[in-house]
Amino acid sequence: MVALFIISTFLCFILVDYILHHRKQQKIQSPALVSEKFLIPRGYFFSPNHLWVHLLPSGNAQIGIDDFLQKIIGTIEHIHLVPNNSFVRKGEPLMEVAQGEKTMTFTSPLTGRISMQNKEILEARTSLSSDPYFAGWILEIIPEHIGEEIKSLSLAEQVEQWLKNEISRFRDFIAHQQTQLAYAHNGITMFDGGIPINGVLQNADKKIWSEFEQQFLATEPKNEIVQ
């Protein structure tokens, strides 16, 4: 009986260790969905203008810029936000990012009052590209109509096909620009079907940035998220 008890205990330890190891491996291997090398974290909501929304236990919502846009813009030199404690309505200007004299304006995916700004991001923007969905949050908002407005946002699992369409649309957008910008990176270019690469818009001029904003950051984009 003693021997049987020892064997049973040993087998239990092995089983528990296997379960813990398996869960750890799952967490490491699948932290988020990946669409053509762009991260899409589970549990996050996405707006058609490439802003993400993360609902917090407090009821507030953090907002940031998605991985796709982070990568193609390249270095963001400045971020201009509406003042803290400001009230914004869905579709109104929320933030502006700048690279030299080039700017892009993002409208708010939610109606509410700005409760907090990520000062670390405003002072040092390295986390925007290295950790866009966690340390890279930009501001926090107290939403007023979350029950209604959340319906226009989509969860990560619904966004994957939309993002693939956005990537294809972006390739077409770049290909039709009358410029001779070089987009080569490790033998892959935008024009031979390669995916968008880091900083692909960094060498583009103000006109291209303006056209990109009109086509990809509009309140009612042409390429809607597939529900």
Side-chain angles (χ1 to χ4, degrees):
M1 291 293 294
V2 174
L4 183 60
F5 175 76
I6 292 174
I7 292 173
S8 299
T9 302
F10 180 69
L11 290 175
C12 285
F13 280 131
I14 293 176
L15 179 60
V16 170
D17 181 70
Y18 171 79
I19 292 173
L20 292 176
H21 179 74
H22 182 65
R23 287 179 178 176
K24 184 178 180 181
Q25 287 297 109
Q26 281 188 321
K27 187 175 181 180
I28 292 173
Q29 293 173 4
S30 303
L33 293 171
V34 178
S35 180
E36 296 207 35
K37 298 186 179 180
F38 296 105
L39 291 175
I40 311 172
R42 290 185 170 90
Y44 280 53
F45 291 88
F46 286 77
S47 172
N49 66 343
H50 292 280
L51 293 182
W52 56 259
V53 174
H54 182 214
L55 300 181
L56 303 174
S58 64
N60 293 356
Q62 287 182 340
I63 296 176
I65 302 173
D66 73 18
D67 191 38
F68 167 75
L69 209 63
Q70 299 272 1
K71 283 186 168 64
I72 64 174
I73 288 179
T75 302
I76 294 177
E77 297 174 358
H78 301 285
I79 303 175
H80 305 286
L81 303 178
V82 296
N84 206 25
N85 204 40
S86 297
F87 184 83
V88 294
R89 298 186 183 281
K90 178 182 176 181
E92 292 182 345
L94 182 67
M95 69 180 79
E96 180 185 81
V97 300
Q99 189 184 94
E101 296 182 351
K102 300 174 294 187
T103 62
M104 286 185 191
T105 300
F106 294 84
T107 57
S108 181
L110 298 173
T111 298
R113 191 169 300 280
I114 308 303
S115 62
M116 189 181 301
Q117 298 177 346
N118 189 344
K119 294 182 179 179
E120 293 183 6
I121 285 294
L122 298 180
E123 294 171 359
R125 288 157 298 283
T126 55
S127 294
L128 279 172
S129 56
S130 64
D131 193 9
Y133 297 111
F134 299 99
W137 66 276
I138 297 175
L139 56 82
E140 191 172 306
I141 190 171
I142 305 172
E144 286 217 348
H145 307 297
I146 190 66
E148 181 64 29
E149 293 177 345
I150 204 72
K151 297 175 184 178
S152 65
L153 307 179
S154 294
L155 281 167
E157 291 78 2
Q158 302 167 321
V159 170
E160 190 173 9
Q161 184 56 53
W162 167 74
L163 183 55
K164 289 179 179 178
N165 293 341
E166 287 287 89
I167 293 168
S168 176
R169 197 160 68 96
F170 180 69
R171 290 183 184 134
D172 292 340
F173 169 80
I174 289 295
H176 284 85
Q177 299 304 317
Q178 300 301 313
T179 59
Q180 298 297 321
L181 301 177
Y183 296 115
H185 181 67
N186 293 334
I188 300 176
T189 67
M190 289 297 299
F191 301 108
D192 63 13
I195 64 169
I197 60 175
N198 290 358
V200 71
L201 288 181
Q202 192 145 330
N203 295 323
D205 58 25
K206 292 173 65 175
K207 178 177 179 292
I208 293 178
W209 271 52
S210 176
E211 291 179 1
F212 176 87
E213 179 181 328
Q214 293 175 27
Q215 294 192 35
F216 289 84
L217 305 187
T219 305
E220 299 293 337
K222 299 176 182 178
N223 183 28
E224 296 180 352
I225 291 180
V226 179
Q227 299 289 345

